[in-house]
Amino acid sequence: MDKDYHTSFGNNLSPRNPSKLSRPKRFNITFIISFLILFALWIIFSGRFDGFHITLGLISSAIVAAFSGDLMFTSRNARSIFLLWLRMTTYIPWLLYQIFLANLHVMYLVLHPRMMELINPKIIQFDSRLKSEYSRMVFANSITLTPGTITVNVNALGRFSVHCIDDPSGQPLPGKMEEKIAHVFKE
Amino acid sequence: MNILVILLLFGGLFFFTGGSIGILRFPDFYTRLHPAGKLDTAGQFLTMSAISLYIMQDFTLHTFLTATKIVLIVIFVYLTSPTATHAIMDAGVRAGLKPWTKAGRHDLAD
Amino acid sequence: MDTLFYYSGFYLSLIMFLPLYRAIFGPTVVDRLIGVNAIGSKTTVLLILIGLIYGRVDMFVDIALAYALLNFIAVLAASRYFHKKKGLYEESAD
């Protein structure tokens, strides 16, 4: 296998200086982190702890991590990855709470006898100030996970088209959710 | 503990009921996606957490692994459900289906 | 407790008839896709409930995981396939 597989396939978001390209970074931090995650998943899903299964798990997680180790991460710095995930863990409970509130709202709409008068489906558009693809992906998925709003399209300039089912669920966009994600990704 | 399990289970079944009724009641497929994609995900979250709590009651390594698998299914569903919803929505948009609006059927968003 | 799981599984399989209506009589193809997706997400929970009733949860959890994967892949593949057929499934009637 070619020795600079990772550097040639790595993240295109942050340009690295060309002097680093010559050095083969085979066992970089993204490889190690994804290897650990994959191996933990292997142990959970297999549930057997004899030597044969553990060896199979080691081999297969190493292969998968070598091929797709840098798909999940936007940075190669272990410290920034860790800090990003730490901030993400503060964002996810808030998102779950919002999802729960919006679920109750959609339940109210569904079970209301005069539902057709309450709903007002429309497509709203707004410009987001998030720059990187990763944060836009997280934002679009958060909008889609919150009931009442579904992301129809995001174009390259950061313009979101969102289908919302009635006025109260579409109003708070982009609003607080975008602020939180911008805080998570430090933008 | 059993009371918590029963409450979570009934909450999940309630959300499943809401999702199924919403699929029937809403006027067009864009609006039908809202209950289909999201209320079902919430129902799965609640019922699966109820079941994993119930399994974890006699705590051994085996039951712990099974409960972890159930939690991983929920995480998987939460990662993939926005993608599936967006794929269906995109198929509808590319096919040129007009969204239902209150004013009239055939005015697209400006 | 087993009786409760039994009846909730029964109730879940009853509820599955509502999206089935949408999957059979849905006016457009994407409506049928929504119905199939909703049935699949209920089946994932129903499989684990069946595992609890039979006392073999460890086995049925794997089946449920595979079913969740299949549901996702099927919806993605079907929607990618159908969006090429423009104009094939305009809503009829009015």
Side-chain angles (χ1 to χ4, degrees):
Chain A
M1 188 165 294
D2 53 343
K3 67 182 186 214
D4 54 358
Y5 174 81
H6 276 289
T7 47
S8 59
F9 245 77
N11 55 356
N12 305 318
L13 296 175
S14 63
R16 273 165 278 121
N17 65 38
S19 67
K20 278 187 181 172
L21 279 176
S22 56
R23 196 172 37 160
K25 293 180 69 175
R26 180 100 207 165
F27 294 99
N28 49 13
I29 190 69
T30 58
F31 173 81
I32 293 169
I33 294 177
S34 33
F35 175 78
L36 287 179
I37 293 173
L38 287 171
F39 189 60
L41 282 180
W42 173 279
I43 284 180
I44 290 169
F45 279 123
S46 87
R48 294 164 193 267
F49 300 102
D50 51 297
F52 177 65
H53 285 91
I54 297 277
T55 317
L56 278 186
L58 282 173
I59 294 170
S60 49
S61 350
I63 291 173
V64 175
F67 274 120
S68 55
D70 44 10
L71 288 181
M72 268 176 72
F73 308 103
T74 52
S75 152
R76 279 162 179 273
N77 188 0
R79 188 180 157 76
S80 62
I81 289 174
F82 178 72
L83 283 178
L84 178 68
W85 286 11
L86 200 68
R87 292 196 294 266
M88 198 73 111
T89 49
T90 62
Y91 169 66
I92 286 173
W94 181 81
L95 178 67
L96 284 179
Y97 177 64
Q98 292 299 117
I99 288 172
F100 182 69
L101 287 185
N103 265 316
L104 289 183
H105 179 67
V106 175
M107 279 298 289
Y108 169 75
L109 282 183
V110 165
L111 298 177
H112 200 278
R114 287 178 285 107
M115 181 256 313
M116 294 298 254
E117 299 165 19
L118 281 179
I119 64 172
N120 184 18
K122 61 187 180 215
I123 294 181
I124 59 170
Q125 295 193 329
F126 60 87
D127 286 315
S128 165
R129 66 191 173 96
L130 299 171
K131 291 291 182 293
S132 71
E133 293 176 352
Y134 202 60
S135 56
R136 276 180 195 162
M137 185 270 287
V138 172
F139 188 35
N141 273 353
S142 306
I143 290 175
T144 309
L145 266 178
T146 316
T149 47
I150 295 179
T151 313
V152 179
N153 195 16
V154 184
N155 68 4
L157 299 172
R159 189 163 182 78
F160 281 66
S161 308
V162 175
H163 183 272
C164 48
I165 199 166
D166 64 345
D167 295 328
S169 52
Q171 256 166 9
L173 284 173
K176 203 168 176 203
M177 186 181 277
E178 189 186 36
E179 267 176 38
K180 292 239 174 199
I181 290 172
H183 172 70
V184 166
F185 287 91
K186 290 273 182 211
E187 283 180 10
Chain B
M1 200 59 149
N2 267 341
I3 294 170
L4 184 64
V5 170
I6 290 170
L7 275 182
L8 283 174
L9 194 62
F10 279 158
L13 289 182
F14 177 64
F15 276 123
F16 271 132
T17 317
S20 303
I21 294 173
I23 290 176
L24 284 190
R25 285 192 71 192
F26 277 131
D28 77 328
F29 108 94
Y30 292 99
T31 44
R32 272 174 213 143
L33 263 177
H34 291 272
K38 268 57 79 57
L39 293 183
D40 276 2
T41 316
Q44 269 176 328
F45 176 67
L46 290 177
T47 39
M48 295 258 190
S49 47
I51 292 168
S52 59
L53 268 181
Y54 178 72
I55 291 172
M56 288 267 272
Q57 276 181 352
D58 49 341
F59 191 84
T60 60
L61 180 66
H62 202 66
T63 58
F64 176 70
L65 281 180
T66 312
T68 320
K69 275 185 206 173
I70 295 178
V71 171
L72 282 175
I73 292 177
V74 173
I75 293 175
F76 177 77
V77 165
Y78 262 84
L79 285 178
T80 54
S81 127
T83 315
T85 311
H86 174 74
I88 301 176
M89 174 74 93
D90 199 40
V93 169
R94 281 169 195 251
L97 289 181
K98 302 278 186 295
W100 183 92
T101 50
K102 224 171 196 171
R105 295 182 66 87
H106 287 293
D107 54 339
L108 263 164
D110 39 307
Chain C
M1 209 64 182
D2 274 347
T3 337
L4 175 72
F5 286 133
Y6 184 78
Y7 279 112
S8 40
F10 185 68
Y11 177 69
L12 210 53
S13 42
L14 273 185
I15 278 183
M16 268 153 62
F17 279 102
L18 301 175
L20 188 63
Y21 171 82
R22 195 46 81 194
I24 294 174
F25 298 105
T28 66
V29 175
V30 268
D31 278 314
R32 289 160 213 253
L33 213 54
I34 293 171
V36 170
N37 189 16
I39 290 178
S41 63
K42 287 173 185 55
T43 312
T44 317
V45 176
L46 185 63
L47 274 171
I48 299 181
L49 283 174
I50 290 172
L52 275 174
I53 292 166
Y54 284 134
R56 293 294 309 274
V57 196
D58 47 347
M59 190 175 81
F60 275 86
V61 160
D62 293 342
I63 302 173
L65 181 70
Y67 202 89
L69 268 168
L70 258 181
N71 190 25
F72 172 57
I73 300 289
V75 166
L76 269 193
S79 54
R80 284 298 104 175
Y81 176 68
F82 282 118
H83 79 204
K84 298 247 173 70
K85 315 251 168 147
K86 182 161 184 171
L88 240 186
Y89 45 98
E90 275 292 328
E91 288 186 52
S92 53
D94 56 5

